[in-house]
Amino acid sequence: MNRYMPITGHDCNIPSLLIDTQAPIDVLHDATAYRIRAVTQLLENFAVSDEAPKGAVLLQELSLVCSILLRDGCDLMDVAGDSSKKNCQSKSQWAVLSRPVFVYSAI
């Protein structure tokens, strides 16, 4: 894996936004959490607001902002996951780390 990985949400022949694949896991985690929390807070504010955003253009722009932040967060999680796997000494250690944190149930 290359040291610097371009984020996938930005189509460009010459990438300018890169993720350092050798960054410490806690730094990758913090960057991921920041982006996901930003989207969560934005969506929660709209959910409890009496005045929902109106108009197709505004909704499209809000969707774009959310998708950019979530895509960046997913890219960061991928790098952090790869880094975690490399740091594990054996398969048994990775099995402990790879348990799902959240379980979703369709009711």
Side-chain angles (χ1 to χ4, degrees):
M1 174 184 279
N2 293 332
R3 166 111 195 226
Y4 297 102
M5 181 187 93
I7 61 171
T8 59
H10 186 237
D11 267 344
C12 185
N13 292 335
I14 302 172
S16 59
L17 298 173
L18 305 166
I19 298 171
D20 184 351
T21 62
Q22 296 175 10
I25 293 174
D26 61 323
V27 172
L28 295 169
H29 177 270
D30 288 346
T32 301
Y34 180 77
R35 284 155 176 77
I36 292 173
R37 282 191 198 108
V39 172
T40 302
Q41 185 174 359
L42 177 67
L43 295 175
E44 285 174 348
N45 286 338
F46 287 128
V48 298
S49 174
D50 292 335
E51 295 181 23
K54 295 178 176 85
V57 173
L58 182 56
L59 289 174
Q60 186 177 14
E61 290 173 359
L62 288 171
S63 297
L64 178 62
V65 168
C66 291
S67 66
I68 289 170
L69 291 170
L70 289 172
R71 170 100 36 224
D72 289 358
C74 289
D75 290 346
L76 287 160
M77 281 193 305
D78 289 344
V79 171
D82 290 344
S83 181
S84 294
K85 290 176 190 176
K86 288 178 186 174
N87 288 335
C88 290
Q89 304 291 326
S90 69
K91 268 189 157 180
S92 62
Q93 287 176 324
W94 175 243
V96 171
L97 293 174
S98 64
R99 289 187 200 144
V101 177
F102 301 103
V103 177
Y104 296 96
S105 173
I107 297 177

